[in-house]
Amino acid sequence: MPLTFFSGIGGASKKGILIKGATYLETLAGLDTVVFDKTGTLTKGTFSVTGVHPAKSVTKDELLDVAAHAEAFSDHPIAISIKEALGRAVDMNRVSDASEAAGHGVQAKVDGQQVYAGNARLMESIGVKAAEPAEIGTVVHVARGGQYLGALVISDVIKENSASAMEALKSAGVKRLVMLTGDRQEVAADIAKKVGLTDYRAELLPEDKVSALEGLLGDGHTVAFTGDGINDAPVLRRADIGIAMGAMGSDAAIEAADVVLMDDDPAKIAQGVRHARRTMRIVHQNIIFALAVKLLVMVLGLCGFANMWLAVFADVGVAMLAILNAMRAMKMK
């Protein structure tokens, strides 16, 4: 029977699905819930500034300039998109005392003045009232010296095959498709509708994702979590089976995951589930066939009808047939 698992793992690896062991292959076969991180998993993770909304007496260029310099030392995709939207090089000499608050935003001194750039919770924590734009997207609010300067709307691009991947998972028998994201409720609802998810959890801090996942575990469900970032590593460990995006995923996520998709294609999850179920069917076929033949020959022997050649077939012959059947798992349909 181990040969069937080896064949199944080998067949999946040929298609860019790396399964780290027989236990995970068996767990994948029983999957009925898949939880997704948003950025880099369902979306491309390539952000662009789609809206600039300065406050009164503030120009768009001033808002972009202050925001880009506040994000000067950050390598987050959102920060990179803001610096690109500025259209010119950031002057690092104008920035000092930069720090990042995970899940909230950044703060730094720009031209000697304290600047905050982040979500509405960050603005609330410093006593600044933020205005929410009507546009759907990730909103970065900017404040300087206690004055609200305005908001930037950053949009991510949904992967072309995300919607078809969700349909494939549903047809494979996966009943719950859930997204976890730190974005606003409006953004999460829009993406969930476009992609075809059954549920979502929005406005989550990185540490909240583990709690959200634990709420989906239990009650006989087998839950997979799919992510690619360094913040996803604890959630990948906590799920029944962790699935990492291998092409652009962080080393921490790949190390923590049980299954790695080498081309970041979410559609490969449904392929992996179908292949795991087919492999398990072959395992069960071999077990039932071997036990049935051996039991039959044993009964015939007790009745005096079995000879040596029949006994050889029950041992060597059954093993050979089981090996040939196991080799079918090397081909992934």
Side-chain angles (χ1 to χ4, degrees):
M1 302 320 130
L3 182 60
T4 312
F5 285 109
F6 295 153
S7 297
I9 292 170
S13 67
K14 291 179 181 178
K15 299 295 184 180
I17 304 171
L18 304 185
I19 303 172
K20 295 184 179 180
T23 302
Y24 308 123
L25 183 72
E26 189 173 1
T27 304
L28 192 62
L31 201 62
D32 68 349
T33 302
V34 182
V35 183
F36 298 90
D37 178 56
K38 179 182 76 71
T39 306
T41 305
L42 296 176
T43 62
K44 292 182 178 179
T46 54
F47 293 87
S48 60
V49 176
T50 55
V52 182
H53 303 277
K56 290 181 179 179
S57 73
V58 179
T59 66
K60 288 186 176 181
D61 187 68
E62 181 183 6
L63 175 59
L64 276 170
D65 180 77
V66 173
H69 282 83
E71 302 275 10
F73 292 98
S74 177
D75 57 358
H76 191 280
I78 289 178
I80 293 171
S81 71
I82 294 173
K83 286 182 278 189
E84 288 176 348
L86 180 62
R88 58 181 181 272
V90 172
D91 185 357
M92 307 299 281
N93 295 321
R94 294 171 55 191
V95 186
S96 62
D97 301 333
S99 62
E100 187 170 347
H104 288 84
V106 299
Q107 64 181 58
K109 283 188 177 179
V110 179
D111 299 326
Q113 291 183 290
Q114 189 68 41
V115 174
Y116 294 87
N119 57 25
R121 280 178 288 191
L122 179 62
M123 296 296 107
E124 186 179 345
S125 69
I126 62 173
V128 172
K129 187 176 180 181
E132 289 291 339
E135 294 175 55
I136 294 177
T138 300
V139 179
V140 175
H141 299 282
V142 184
R144 179 179 61 191
Q147 177 193 3
Y148 183 65
L149 299 184
L152 303 174
V153 180
I154 293 94
S155 299
D156 197 357
V157 180
I158 297 173
K159 289 181 179 179
E160 294 84 356
N161 53 358
S162 288
S164 60
M166 299 307 108
E167 287 298 322
L169 282 167
K170 289 175 183 176
S171 66
V174 177
K175 296 178 176 62
R176 299 191 299 176
L177 301 169
V178 186
M179 177 179 68
L180 305 183
T181 177
D183 278 335
R184 295 181 301 156
Q185 292 284 346
E186 296 85 350
V187 178
D190 182 62
I191 292 175
K193 182 179 179 181
K194 288 178 179 177
V195 171
L197 300 169
T198 61
D199 199 2
Y200 64 87
R201 306 285 189 276
E203 299 182 14
L204 298 175
L205 297 175
E207 57 268 26
D208 295 334
K209 290 183 179 180
V210 175
S211 301
L213 179 75
E214 287 177 342
L216 297 167
L217 294 168
D219 296 328
H221 292 293
T222 302
V223 180
F225 178 79
T226 308
D228 72 326
I230 190 169
N231 291 330
D232 296 328
V235 202
L236 288 164
R237 286 286 190 191
R238 184 65 186 88
D240 293 320
I241 184 165
I243 303 173
M245 297 294 175
M248 298 297 290
S250 69
D251 291 342
I254 294 170
E255 178 67 25
D258 309 309
V259 177
V260 180
L261 308 180
M262 294 310 297
D263 57 1
D264 290 359
D265 183 359
K268 288 289 179 69
I269 302 173
Q271 293 180 27
V273 170
R274 288 196 179 94
H275 180 66
R277 290 175 180 170
R278 179 170 174 263
T279 301
M280 292 309 300
R281 284 197 299 270
I282 294 172
V283 169
H284 296 148
Q285 288 169 7
N286 283 345
I287 292 172
I288 293 169
F289 175 69
L291 289 176
V293 171
K294 288 179 182 294
L295 182 62
L296 176 62
V297 173
M298 187 184 299
V299 172
L300 290 174
L302 290 173
C303 298
F305 295 109
N307 55 28
M308 184 183 68
W309 294 111
L310 198 58
V312 169
F313 172 76
D315 186 20
V316 180
V318 167
M320 291 295 294
L321 290 173
I323 289 170
L324 291 172
N325 193 38
M327 290 174 66
R328 291 169 50 221
M330 295 180 69
K331 292 185 178 180
M332 186 173 176
K333 292 184 179 181

